[in-house]
mmCIF file of all heavy atoms in Angstrom:
data_model
loop_
_atom_site.group_PDB
_atom_site.id
_atom_site.type_symbol
_atom_site.label_atom_id
_atom_site.label_comp_id
_atom_site.label_asym_id
_atom_site.label_seq_id
_atom_site.Cartn_x
_atom_site.Cartn_y
_atom_site.Cartn_z
ATOM 1 N N ALA Q 88 3.472 -8.815 -11.708
ATOM 2 C CA ALA Q 88 2.694 -10.105 -11.761
ATOM 3 C C ALA Q 88 2.186 -10.277 -10.325
ATOM 4 O O ALA Q 88 1.102 -10.660 -10.174
ATOM 5 C CB ALA Q 88 3.443 -11.119 -12.445
ATOM 6 N N GLU Q 89 3.032 -10.076 -9.354
ATOM 7 C CA GLU Q 89 2.742 -10.303 -8.031
ATOM 8 C C GLU Q 89 1.606 -9.358 -7.464
ATOM 9 O O GLU Q 89 0.725 -9.871 -6.802
ATOM 10 C CB GLU Q 89 3.974 -10.019 -7.092
ATOM 11 C CG GLU Q 89 3.876 -10.419 -5.625
ATOM 12 C CD GLU Q 89 3.894 -11.899 -5.320
ATOM 13 O OE1 GLU Q 89 4.188 -12.715 -6.073
ATOM 14 O OE2 GLU Q 89 3.419 -12.235 -4.075
ATOM 15 N N VAL Q 90 1.705 -8.050 -8.000
ATOM 16 C CA VAL Q 90 0.571 -7.269 -7.640
ATOM 17 C C VAL Q 90 -0.668 -7.679 -8.229
ATOM 18 O O VAL Q 90 -1.846 -7.720 -7.641
ATOM 19 C CB VAL Q 90 0.930 -5.856 -7.947
ATOM 20 C CG1 VAL Q 90 -0.318 -4.809 -7.776
ATOM 21 C CG2 VAL Q 90 2.086 -5.280 -7.160
ATOM 22 N N ALA Q 91 -0.657 -8.035 -9.501
ATOM 23 C CA ALA Q 91 -1.903 -8.456 -10.120
ATOM 24 C C ALA Q 91 -2.585 -9.688 -9.482
ATOM 25 O O ALA Q 91 -3.708 -9.753 -9.423
ATOM 26 C CB ALA Q 91 -1.562 -8.817 -11.700
ATOM 27 N N THR Q 92 -1.662 -10.649 -9.096
ATOM 28 C CA THR Q 92 -2.082 -11.879 -8.389
ATOM 29 C C THR Q 92 -2.824 -11.458 -7.064
ATOM 30 O O THR Q 92 -3.822 -11.954 -6.601
ATOM 31 C CB THR Q 92 -1.031 -12.843 -8.233
ATOM 32 O OG1 THR Q 92 -0.580 -13.195 -9.429
ATOM 33 C CG2 THR Q 92 -1.568 -14.097 -7.397
ATOM 34 N N TRP Q 93 -2.066 -10.453 -6.416
ATOM 35 C CA TRP Q 93 -2.741 -10.099 -4.983
ATOM 36 C C TRP Q 93 -4.094 -9.384 -5.219
ATOM 37 O O TRP Q 93 -4.911 -9.744 -4.416
ATOM 38 C CB TRP Q 93 -1.715 -8.989 -4.420
ATOM 39 C CG TRP Q 93 -2.085 -8.439 -3.085
ATOM 40 C CD1 TRP Q 93 -2.368 -9.196 -1.983
ATOM 41 C CD2 TRP Q 93 -2.166 -7.125 -2.612
ATOM 42 N NE1 TRP Q 93 -2.722 -8.408 -0.956
ATOM 43 C CE2 TRP Q 93 -2.644 -7.127 -1.326
ATOM 44 C CE3 TRP Q 93 -1.956 -5.872 -3.377
ATOM 45 C CZ2 TRP Q 93 -2.762 -5.921 -0.569
ATOM 46 C CZ3 TRP Q 93 -2.220 -4.830 -2.612
ATOM 47 C CH2 TRP Q 93 -2.540 -4.782 -1.310
ATOM 48 N N PHE Q 94 -4.245 -8.590 -6.153
ATOM 49 C CA PHE Q 94 -5.498 -7.956 -6.345
ATOM 50 C C PHE Q 94 -6.665 -8.870 -6.816
ATOM 51 O O PHE Q 94 -7.865 -8.728 -6.531
ATOM 52 C CB PHE Q 94 -5.482 -6.733 -7.315
ATOM 53 C CG PHE Q 94 -4.877 -5.505 -6.677
ATOM 54 C CD1 PHE Q 94 -3.744 -4.813 -7.284
ATOM 55 C CD2 PHE Q 94 -5.422 -4.994 -5.588
ATOM 56 C CE1 PHE Q 94 -3.299 -3.609 -6.752
ATOM 57 C CE2 PHE Q 94 -4.887 -3.737 -5.019
ATOM 58 C CZ PHE Q 94 -3.849 -3.119 -5.554
ATOM 59 N N ALA Q 95 -6.242 -9.945 -7.477
ATOM 60 C CA ALA Q 95 -7.152 -10.875 -8.006
ATOM 61 C C ALA Q 95 -7.475 -11.938 -7.080
ATOM 62 O O ALA Q 95 -8.423 -12.808 -7.330
ATOM 63 C CB ALA Q 95 -6.626 -11.548 -9.323
ATOM 64 N N THR Q 96 -6.780 -12.087 -5.902
ATOM 65 C CA THR Q 96 -7.057 -13.298 -4.983
ATOM 66 C C THR Q 96 -7.693 -12.642 -3.724
ATOM 67 O O THR Q 96 -7.312 -11.752 -3.082
ATOM 68 C CB THR Q 96 -5.547 -13.791 -4.493
ATOM 69 O OG1 THR Q 96 -4.944 -14.205 -5.856
ATOM 70 C CG2 THR Q 96 -5.768 -14.928 -3.708
ATOM 71 N N PRO Q 97 -8.795 -13.475 -3.342
ATOM 72 C CA PRO Q 97 -9.489 -13.009 -2.094
ATOM 73 C C PRO Q 97 -8.546 -13.076 -0.841
ATOM 74 O O PRO Q 97 -7.687 -13.963 -0.829
ATOM 75 C CB PRO Q 97 -10.624 -13.960 -2.056
ATOM 76 C CG PRO Q 97 -10.871 -14.564 -3.291
ATOM 77 C CD PRO Q 97 -9.439 -14.507 -4.079
ATOM 78 N N VAL Q 98 -8.855 -12.249 0.139
ATOM 79 C CA VAL Q 98 -8.028 -12.375 1.367
ATOM 80 C C VAL Q 98 -8.460 -13.547 2.102
ATOM 81 O O VAL Q 98 -9.638 -13.698 2.323
ATOM 82 C CB VAL Q 98 -8.338 -10.945 2.239
ATOM 83 C CG1 VAL Q 98 -7.649 -11.223 3.540
ATOM 84 C CG2 VAL Q 98 -7.775 -9.809 1.520
ATOM 85 N N PRO Q 99 -7.605 -14.454 2.449
ATOM 86 C CA PRO Q 99 -7.984 -15.807 3.184
ATOM 87 C C PRO Q 99 -8.479 -15.588 4.429
ATOM 88 O O PRO Q 99 -8.037 -14.638 5.235
ATOM 89 C CB PRO Q 99 -6.591 -16.507 3.178
ATOM 90 C CG PRO Q 99 -5.633 -15.473 3.148
ATOM 91 C CD PRO Q 99 -6.079 -14.287 2.259
ATOM 92 N N ARG Q 100 -9.577 -16.283 4.794
ATOM 93 C CA ARG Q 100 -10.239 -16.156 6.199
ATOM 94 C C ARG Q 100 -10.138 -17.552 6.805
ATOM 95 O O ARG Q 100 -10.662 -17.619 7.927
ATOM 96 C CB ARG Q 100 -11.743 -15.791 6.014
ATOM 97 C CG ARG Q 100 -11.840 -14.351 5.389
ATOM 98 C CD ARG Q 100 -11.374 -13.304 6.192
ATOM 99 N NE ARG Q 100 -11.635 -11.968 5.680
ATOM 100 C CZ ARG Q 100 -11.076 -10.844 6.171
ATOM 101 N NH1 ARG Q 100 -10.179 -11.032 7.177
ATOM 102 N NH2 ARG Q 100 -11.352 -9.723 5.668
ATOM 103 N N ALA Q 101 -9.528 -18.511 6.120
ATOM 104 C CA ALA Q 101 -9.455 -19.905 6.762
ATOM 105 C C ALA Q 101 -8.493 -19.847 8.118
ATOM 106 O O ALA Q 101 -8.707 -20.536 8.872
ATOM 107 C CB ALA Q 101 -9.011 -20.899 5.782
ATOM 108 N N HIS Q 102 -7.561 -19.010 7.949
ATOM 109 C CA HIS Q 102 -6.588 -18.793 9.178
ATOM 110 C C HIS Q 102 -6.551 -17.319 9.532
ATOM 111 O O HIS Q 102 -5.601 -16.740 9.129
ATOM 112 C CB HIS Q 102 -5.161 -19.435 8.742
ATOM 113 C CG HIS Q 102 -5.213 -20.802 8.266
ATOM 114 N ND1 HIS Q 102 -5.426 -21.914 9.264
ATOM 115 C CD2 HIS Q 102 -5.073 -21.400 7.100
ATOM 116 C CE1 HIS Q 102 -5.486 -23.036 8.573
ATOM 117 N NE2 HIS Q 102 -5.277 -22.710 7.275
ATOM 118 N N PRO Q 103 -7.547 -16.899 10.202
ATOM 119 C CA PRO Q 103 -7.623 -15.475 10.580
ATOM 120 C C PRO Q 103 -6.523 -15.119 11.484
ATOM 121 O O PRO Q 103 -5.974 -16.119 12.206
ATOM 122 C CB PRO Q 103 -8.892 -15.210 11.237
ATOM 123 C CG PRO Q 103 -9.220 -16.691 11.772
ATOM 124 C CD PRO Q 103 -8.635 -17.569 10.828
ATOM 125 N N PRO Q 104 -6.137 -13.884 11.560
ATOM 126 C CA PRO Q 104 -5.017 -13.415 12.576
ATOM 127 C C PRO Q 104 -5.590 -13.605 14.001
ATOM 128 O O PRO Q 104 -6.789 -13.552 14.213
ATOM 129 C CB PRO Q 104 -4.756 -11.960 12.146
ATOM 130 C CG PRO Q 104 -6.011 -11.498 11.424
ATOM 131 C CD PRO Q 104 -6.605 -12.686 10.735
ATOM 132 N N ARG Q 105 -4.574 -13.768 14.835
ATOM 133 C CA ARG Q 105 -5.003 -13.964 16.219
ATOM 134 C C ARG Q 105 -5.732 -12.693 16.822
ATOM 135 O O ARG Q 105 -5.277 -11.564 16.558
ATOM 136 C CB ARG Q 105 -3.629 -14.243 17.118
ATOM 137 C CG ARG Q 105 -3.022 -15.538 16.778
ATOM 138 C CD ARG Q 105 -1.810 -15.629 17.705
ATOM 139 N NE ARG Q 105 -1.097 -16.835 17.518
ATOM 140 C CZ ARG Q 105 -0.028 -17.006 16.783
ATOM 141 N NH1 ARG Q 105 0.388 -16.019 16.088
ATOM 142 N NH2 ARG Q 105 0.564 -18.145 16.459
ATOM 143 N N ASP Q 106 -6.799 -12.956 17.531
ATOM 144 C CA ASP Q 106 -7.651 -11.836 18.015
ATOM 145 C C ASP Q 106 -7.284 -11.813 19.537
ATOM 146 O O ASP Q 106 -7.722 -12.639 20.221
ATOM 147 C CB ASP Q 106 -9.078 -12.091 17.865
ATOM 148 C CG ASP Q 106 -9.993 -10.992 18.085
ATOM 149 O OD1 ASP Q 106 -9.815 -10.406 19.335
ATOM 150 O OD2 ASP Q 106 -10.973 -10.628 17.480
ATOM 151 N N GLU Q 107 -6.688 -10.899 20.000
ATOM 152 C CA GLU Q 107 -6.149 -10.814 21.340
ATOM 153 C C GLU Q 107 -7.422 -10.651 22.319
ATOM 154 O O GLU Q 107 -7.395 -11.435 23.450
ATOM 155 C CB GLU Q 107 -5.429 -9.630 21.692
ATOM 156 C CG GLU Q 107 -4.867 -9.440 23.071
ATOM 157 C CD GLU Q 107 -3.987 -8.214 23.439
ATOM 158 O OE1 GLU Q 107 -3.797 -7.541 22.469
ATOM 159 O OE2 GLU Q 107 -3.658 -7.870 24.547
ATOM 160 N N LEU Q 108 -8.476 -10.066 21.917
ATOM 161 C CA LEU Q 108 -9.661 -10.070 22.843
ATOM 162 C C LEU Q 108 -10.322 -11.387 22.945
ATOM 163 O O LEU Q 108 -10.723 -11.880 23.959
ATOM 164 C CB LEU Q 108 -10.624 -8.958 22.274
ATOM 165 C CG LEU Q 108 -11.988 -8.867 22.970
ATOM 166 C CD1 LEU Q 108 -11.682 -8.564 24.527
ATOM 167 C CD2 LEU Q 108 -12.838 -7.861 22.486
ATOM 168 N N ALA Q 109 -10.507 -12.096 21.806
ATOM 169 C CA ALA Q 109 -11.176 -13.424 21.838
ATOM 170 C C ALA Q 109 -10.271 -14.330 22.638
ATOM 171 O O ALA Q 109 -10.743 -15.275 23.415
ATOM 172 C CB ALA Q 109 -11.265 -13.900 20.374
ATOM 173 N N ILE Q 110 -8.925 -14.378 22.499
ATOM 174 C CA ILE Q 110 -8.058 -15.175 23.352
ATOM 175 C C ILE Q 110 -8.188 -14.788 24.739
ATOM 176 O O ILE Q 110 -8.232 -15.751 25.677
ATOM 177 C CB ILE Q 110 -6.574 -15.016 22.897
ATOM 178 C CG1 ILE Q 110 -6.425 -15.594 21.379
ATOM 179 C CG2 ILE Q 110 -5.691 -15.611 23.769
ATOM 180 C CD1 ILE Q 110 -5.110 -15.233 20.727
ATOM 181 N N LYS Q 111 -8.198 -13.518 25.105
ATOM 182 C CA LYS Q 111 -8.323 -13.141 26.562
ATOM 183 C C LYS Q 111 -9.613 -13.686 27.176
ATOM 184 O O LYS Q 111 -9.498 -14.230 28.310
ATOM 185 C CB LYS Q 111 -8.352 -11.629 26.568
ATOM 186 C CG LYS Q 111 -8.308 -11.068 27.998
ATOM 187 C CD LYS Q 111 -8.482 -9.607 28.107
ATOM 188 C CE LYS Q 111 -7.392 -8.816 27.744
ATOM 189 N NZ LYS Q 111 -7.462 -7.338 27.837
ATOM 190 N N LEU Q 112 -10.797 -13.589 26.480
ATOM 191 C CA LEU Q 112 -12.009 -14.008 27.042
ATOM 192 C C LEU Q 112 -11.941 -15.565 27.075
ATOM 193 O O LEU Q 112 -12.594 -16.116 28.074
ATOM 194 C CB LEU Q 112 -13.107 -13.522 26.244
ATOM 195 C CG LEU Q 112 -13.532 -12.081 26.379
ATOM 196 C CD1 LEU Q 112 -14.710 -11.706 25.430
ATOM 197 C CD2 LEU Q 112 -13.999 -11.889 27.806
ATOM 198 N N ALA Q 113 -11.404 -16.162 26.183
ATOM 199 C CA ALA Q 113 -11.407 -17.668 26.161
ATOM 200 C C ALA Q 113 -10.484 -18.166 27.270
ATOM 201 O O ALA Q 113 -11.047 -19.094 28.056
ATOM 202 C CB ALA Q 113 -10.793 -18.188 24.826
ATOM 203 N N LEU Q 114 -9.508 -17.475 27.622
ATOM 204 C CA LEU Q 114 -8.690 -17.883 28.866
ATOM 205 C C LEU Q 114 -9.391 -17.480 30.140
ATOM 206 O O LEU Q 114 -9.340 -18.322 31.125
ATOM 207 C CB LEU Q 114 -7.242 -17.254 28.727
ATOM 208 C CG LEU Q 114 -6.388 -17.847 27.585
ATOM 209 C CD1 LEU Q 114 -5.056 -17.057 27.542
ATOM 210 C CD2 LEU Q 114 -6.172 -19.304 27.717
ATOM 211 N N ALA Q 115 -10.032 -16.390 30.108
ATOM 212 C CA ALA Q 115 -10.745 -15.889 31.384
ATOM 213 C C ALA Q 115 -11.795 -16.743 31.901
ATOM 214 O O ALA Q 115 -11.923 -17.029 32.998
ATOM 215 C CB ALA Q 115 -11.279 -14.468 31.118
ATOM 216 N N VAL Q 116 -12.439 -17.338 30.958
ATOM 217 C CA VAL Q 116 -13.429 -18.259 31.325
ATOM 218 C C VAL Q 116 -13.045 -19.556 31.849
ATOM 219 O O VAL Q 116 -13.777 -20.343 32.542
ATOM 220 C CB VAL Q 116 -14.600 -18.505 30.221
ATOM 221 C CG1 VAL Q 116 -15.252 -17.189 29.719
ATOM 222 C CG2 VAL Q 116 -13.951 -19.200 29.031
ATOM 223 N N THR Q 117 -11.789 -19.904 31.732
ATOM 224 C CA THR Q 117 -11.320 -21.227 32.017
ATOM 225 C C THR Q 117 -10.298 -21.143 33.336
ATOM 226 O O THR Q 117 -9.945 -22.065 33.805
ATOM 227 C CB THR Q 117 -10.438 -21.873 30.935
ATOM 228 O OG1 THR Q 117 -9.301 -21.006 30.651
ATOM 229 C CG2 THR Q 117 -11.249 -22.062 29.695
#
Side-chain angles (χ1 to χ4, degrees):
E89 183 78 13
V90 173
T92 299
W93 182 51
F94 280 127
T96 305
V98 175
R100 298 298 184 188
H102 302 286
R105 293 184 182 92
D106 186 319
E107 182 180 354
L108 177 57
I110 293 170
K111 182 189 291 188
L112 282 177
L114 293 176
V116 299
T117 64

